[in-house]
Structure formats: structure tokens, C-alpha cells
Amino acid sequence: MFPAGGSFQGSRGASFAQMLMKNLPVTSEVTEAYAPLSTLSTLNEDRKDVRGQQRKISTETLIERYKCGEVHAVSLLHQLAQVLQLHLEMKETVTTGNLPVLYFAFCVVIDGVEYKTGMGITKKDARLKAAQLALQDLLPTLENINSVRPDVAGVPPPLPAREEPSISDTYPSRAAHGRMSSVNLQIPHAVRDLLTKLMNSHLEFSSCAATTAAFIIQTSSRCEVVALGTGNFNTKESASLCGRIVHDSHGVVTARRSLMRFLYRHVLMFFSKTANLKERSIFQQSSSSGLLSLKDGITLHLYVNQLPKGAAQIPSKLRLNPLSISAWQVNNEIGLHLSVEGKVFSVFSSSIDQSASSIISMSTTDKITQWQVLGYQGALLSHFIEPIYVQSILIGESCASNIRGMEISVSQRVEGVTSQLPTFYCMIRPHISLVPSVAMRGTDGTNGQLTCGINWSEGDSSIEVVDGLKGKTIDESPFKSGPALASRLCKAAMLHRFKLVAKETQRQDLLATSSYREAKRMAKPYQEAKSMLRAYLLQQGFGSWLDKLSVSDNFTM
């Protein structure tokens, strides 16, 4: 299953200072909201009747003065906030306790967007460092403005659009923040309604819904759950040589594979000769790539009713002490993790069972981190569609009280990787928040199905129940694909859908592929992005991504 001489051990080359600066957890104990500096009052008066182009020039002048050393970083942030009408905060993110030498840490928050943490011996030094770090990300965005629309009363000039995701793309603005509050309420209700509907028909499987994950499509008029999954286990079976065993049945992974089934369905709808079906597809043809992309106004969101396994669960309990914590401990806490039969280990751990009989996969947290860079569509679908990213991750608050670990794991660990990725791939930083939890009460008689998980996607007439330890559908499942009990989520089923799309799009090169593995390897940009991401994680000291032998991918239809 693993390469000869392979190892789980990752690089620990990142310095302690780098690790600490990148991963200090947020606390809510001290928050300072800054009003605009009084020295800006005169400047503000002068700008009352200034139109968009003049405002642009003023912004450029402020930035130039900062680069020349004439303006303090903190002062520039306040001035930019005043000119662009942004809400600015300096938030203290760590407390130091009774230490002989005090370290302070602050981060800049602009319109709800949190930037990198700055540290210093004094609060003044920490604020300065935080401001400098925020400006490193903010200034390139402002400097790329090519045009500014005429000013409308009360409306600030727009932030620029860039080929790489800009602040307005990857982080919610004030308007988007308002919409997000509405989404935060709509999504859990939509998930609960669907789960209740599915379980009312199959009460005997209610206990399977403890670890629920769902993908939701949001448009201007509706909020709809399109894929759902539950589960909490890896299979105990050996790697399947025919692609008909599901190795990882954790809720988020199951929901994501259900999402892929939904995407395949809508790709086929787009290429349908029936105009009505094509119109109902969520896809449109992209003029820039020639691939399909989501229609304008459609966004994808992920709901999980508890923090996913891995690094997301650990840093929320961690309070990093600059004088006592070691780089080794930091690596273990926020590095990559492996899942073995439902248990999670750091890649740096020496206690992992590496026996050939154990199916080992990356933790759910690490998989989400990867999907936010490579997209949730996977390698096969990337032949036909652009990367599909999640714009927000909503976590049920009954099982979580701190999302800082999730923010570190999904966003901060890979925040510098975009520049190294091929075209159309980037790191999308999702908006992560706590929302009302969706939970189902299990029945007294579980019939030994605590290891089972449920999957469903839009268009399915019934749920499928898979035994996570066996990787196959159970006999009692409402949906069964056949007597072999192979799940509709298995690799062989995905390859079948891939071949259907390849036939519909007349892609003879893809139809001629000899195996599942070859079809994946032919997705060159996707594979390049994956290699870049894993090399970046290793370089940053988070460890080596599990490199499985692909014997289980050599099957064909």
C-alpha cells in the first residue's frame, strides 16, 4: 500500500518563529476598535465633494508616502479606512500570563477580514507589526486599480478584480457579511429540513446521522442542499483492486463524493440536447478556459455539524506560549494528520500502525485544506470544469466553541501557495463561522449500525447506507446498486460517470484511457497544482502528505 522505504515523517524545517507567527490562536479577551484619527478630520472635510478619480489619486498619494517612510503603517491603515469607508479594528489575539518577558500579539481586522498576526515586546510594537503584515496583503490589491467608476453618494470605490483572488473575492465585504448572516440562518435550516425528511422515511438509520456534512448551493433566490453525507470511519478492508470499496467514509468525505455525483449530473445536463435540461444546469461555458464554470450568482457552501478530525480540533485548545512551546509541538499540533480506523495521528507520530492491512488516509481537515486549493471537483471532473470552491464553511456550534483551529488549518497553512499554482487554481479562504447545530436523535435500537454512514445527492430517490468498516453498502440499505453491494460513491462508479461525460463531449482521448489512474494523471493542471500544494506544505514544516501506492487505481471498466 505504501512505497518501499516510504515514511510518514515530514520536514521540520520551518523555524519556530515562523510557526509561532503564523499560528497564534485568537482569543476574544481584548478587542480594541479604533475610531478614525482626529488628524484626519481636516482631510475628510477637503474630500467631501471629491469624485472617484480624485479619491483614487489621494489613495495613491498616501501609499506612496508610506513607501517613502513618511507615513506610519498604523496611520496609513486608518487613513485608508477613512477614505475607502472600511471598518478597521486592531484585535489582541493572545494573552501572555505571568511571564518574565511579555509578548503581545495583535491582528488587523478590516470589514471582518482577519489578517496575519504581529508580535512585539510592547503593544505598540505588536500593533505596528500587525499593520505592516496587513498592508503587505492589502496594498497590492489597491495598487492594481485600473479604473474607478464615478462616485455614488455613500458608496465607496470598488476594490479591484484580479486574476488571483483579491480581498473582495476571497474575503466577505460588509455587504457580503450582511448576506452571510442570512446564509448562516438559512443553511442549517435547509440541512435540518432535508435530514428530517430523509430520516422520517428510515428512522432505523437515525443513529447514522451523528456526523453530518452537507454541501449547499446558494443563489439570489434560494438555498438548496445538493449533497449530504454522514460517517466516521475508514475501512478495515485491504485496498480494493477493482475500485469497488469506499476507503474513507467520514461525513465530509462522503458528502464531497456525493457532491461530485451532483456535479456529474449537471455536466451531463449542460451537454444534453434537451434545451430545458441545459438551462437547468448550474454550469455555463467559460470564455477564458473553454471549460465549464458555475453560473454567475451561484456559490457553494459547506456545513458540518462538528469540527472535522485533524488539526482543526487541536489548536482551539492550544495557547501558544512564546517562551515555552517548542517548534516540535507546534508541528505536531497544526501539521498534517493521518486517519487509521477512525483514530487520528500526527504525521510526526511514531505510534502509527503501518501494517499493510491498515487503510490509512489523510485527516478530514487536511482534505478540506487540499480541496480549498485544488477544488472540490477532483481530478476526473477537472477535465471538463474549472475548480469548484467553497465560499463558506459553517460549523454546528453545539459541538464546537472555537473555530480558530479550523481557520489556521484551512487558510493560514496554505495562504502563500497561490502564486505557485497553475492558471485557474488558487487558495480560496472560506468564511468560517459557528451556526445552529443540526443533530438527529438516534433510536434505541441501532441494529449495530453505528459504523454506518449515509449518502445522498440531489436527484436521488433514496439514501444509500454504507458500512464504513467494510466500505460497502449494507443489505438493509434503501438503495443498492447491485448484488455486489458496491457503493455509488466508489471509484468504479465515478469512472463510469467520467466515461459517460467523455462520450457525451466526444473526448476520444479520455475514452481511450486504460485505467482510472491514467484518467486522473491526464488532468495535468490539476496534478501540477496538487504537487505544488504538497511541496508547499512540506516546505512550511507541516509534514509529508501520505503518498499511497496507486495499485488500487489501476482498474478499468
Side-chain angles (χ1 to χ4, degrees), residues 79-128:
Q79 293 178 46
L80 290 176
Q82 179 77 9
V83 172
L84 300 178
Q85 300 180 26
L86 304 173
H87 181 262
L88 171 67
E89 288 182 294
M90 282 279 193
K91 181 186 292 185
E92 186 167 3
T93 63
V94 69
T95 56
T96 55
N98 297 320
L99 299 176
V101 179
L102 296 179
Y103 283 81
F104 298 93
F106 282 80
C107 68
V108 171
V109 182
I110 299 177
D111 274 358
V113 177
E114 208 169 86
Y115 290 81
K116 298 175 187 175
T117 299
M119 291 181 59
I121 300 297
T122 67
K123 288 190 175 183
K124 180 179 179 181
D125 291 338
R127 290 191 190 102
L128 174 60

Side-chain angles (χ1 to χ4, degrees), residues 310-482:
Q313 294 182 341
I314 299 172
S316 61
K317 305 170 186 175
L318 190 66
R319 293 294 176 265
L320 302 188
N321 180 335
L323 298 183
S324 64
I325 197 167
S326 66
W328 179 87
Q329 183 181 350
V330 174
N331 278 354
N332 273 275
E333 299 290 7
I334 62 175
L336 300 174
H337 286 73
L338 301 169
S339 179
V340 186
E341 297 180 5
K343 298 178 181 179
V344 176
F345 303 85
S346 165
V347 293
F348 301 114
S349 172
S350 59
S351 60
I352 305 171
D353 178 9
Q354 301 186 26
S355 65
S357 62
S358 297
I359 294 294
I360 303 178
S361 63
M362 299 305 297
S363 74
T364 303
T365 297
D366 297 328
K367 289 186 176 183
I368 293 175
T369 303
Q370 174 174 262
W371 297 331
Q372 285 298 131
V373 175
L374 304 184
Y376 285 72
Q377 76 292 331
L380 295 185
L381 270 168
S382 67
H383 285 288
F384 312 107
I385 65 178
E386 292 182 1
I388 303 291
Y389 296 107
V390 156
Q391 301 301 315
S392 70
I393 299 176
L394 311 177
I395 302 166
E397 60 187 353
S398 67
C399 297
S401 59
N402 190 319
I403 59 174
R404 183 55 174 163
M406 191 72 174
E407 292 173 337
I408 291 172
S409 304
V410 174
S411 301
Q412 292 189 22
R413 291 193 300 186
V414 291
E415 61 188 350
V417 74
T418 296
S419 62
Q420 303 178 29
L421 299 173
T423 307
F424 305 117
Y425 290 89
C426 58
M427 192 285 285
I428 294 294
R429 184 173 184 172
H431 179 89
I432 302 173
S433 59
L434 293 173
V435 296
S437 182
V438 173
M440 295 293 295
R441 292 183 178 179
T443 58
D444 293 335
T446 60
N447 297 322
Q449 290 157 359
L450 291 176
T451 64
C452 292
I454 295 166
N455 69 76
W456 174 92
S457 69
E458 183 193 58
D460 289 344
S461 59
S462 187
I463 62 172
E464 180 184 65
V465 183
V466 175
D467 187 328
L469 295 181
K470 295 181 179 179
K472 287 196 172 187
T473 309
I474 65 173
D475 288 324
E476 300 82 4
S477 174
F479 174 86
K480 292 188 288 289
S481 58

Side-chain angles (χ1 to χ4, degrees), residues 514-527:
S514 61
S515 66
Y516 179 81
R517 177 188 182 187
E518 184 184 356
K520 289 173 65 176
R521 292 180 65 178
M522 286 179 64
K524 295 289 172 64
Y526 182 92
Q527 297 299 341

Side-chain angles (χ1 to χ4, degrees), residues 280-326:
R280 287 165 50 197
S281 173
I282 62 171
F283 291 112
Q284 62 186 0
Q285 195 90 40
S286 171
S287 58
S288 58
S289 68
L291 301 172
L292 302 187
S293 62
L294 290 179
K295 288 179 178 177
D296 295 338
I298 292 180
T299 56
L300 183 66
H301 307 270
L302 169 62
Y303 169 84
V304 291
N305 71 343
Q306 58 183 255
L307 286 170
K309 291 182 178 180
Q313 294 182 341
I314 299 172
S316 61
K317 305 170 186 175
L318 190 66
R319 293 294 176 265
L320 302 188
N321 180 335
L323 298 183
S324 64
I325 197 167
S326 66

Side-chain angles (χ1 to χ4, degrees), residues 86-203:
L86 304 173
H87 181 262
L88 171 67
E89 288 182 294
M90 282 279 193
K91 181 186 292 185
E92 186 167 3
T93 63
V94 69
T95 56
T96 55
N98 297 320
L99 299 176
V101 179
L102 296 179
Y103 283 81
F104 298 93
F106 282 80
C107 68
V108 171
V109 182
I110 299 177
D111 274 358
V113 177
E114 208 169 86
Y115 290 81
K116 298 175 187 175
T117 299
M119 291 181 59
I121 300 297
T122 67
K123 288 190 175 183
K124 180 179 179 181
D125 291 338
R127 290 191 190 102
L128 174 60
K129 183 62 177 177
Q132 292 170 339
L133 290 171
L135 288 170
Q136 286 178 10
D137 292 336
L138 186 62
L139 292 188
T141 304
L142 296 177
E143 290 171 341
N144 281 342
I145 297 178
N146 296 317
S147 62
V148 178
R149 64 188 177 187
D151 191 23
V152 179
V155 179
L159 291 176
R162 302 189 297 167
E163 288 187 4
E164 291 182 14
S166 67
I167 288 178
S168 59
D169 294 326
T170 53
Y171 306 121
S173 62
R174 279 176 301 168
H177 222 56
R179 291 195 300 271
M180 188 61 66
S181 298
S182 174
V183 171
N184 284 0
L185 294 176
Q186 291 180 43
I187 287 179
H189 287 274
V191 176
R192 181 183 293 109
D193 290 346
L194 173 65
L195 195 58
T196 300
K197 178 182 177 181
L198 295 175
M199 291 297 95
N200 280 346
S201 302
H202 306 285
L203 291 175

Side-chain angles (χ1 to χ4, degrees), residues 17-59:
Q18 289 173 321
M19 303 297 294
L20 188 61
M21 291 292 288
K22 289 169 61 177
N23 298 288
L24 286 169
V26 166
T27 67
S28 58
E29 295 177 16
V30 182
T31 302
E32 295 184 18
Y34 283 77
L37 296 177
S38 58
T39 54
L40 291 176
S41 57
T42 304
L43 181 63
N44 191 45
E45 284 292 320
D46 293 339
R47 291 197 178 111
K48 275 186 177 178
D49 298 319
V50 176
R51 309 304 288 174
Q53 184 62 29
Q54 292 171 302
R55 179 174 292 171
K56 174 187 173 185
I57 295 173
S58 298
T59 302

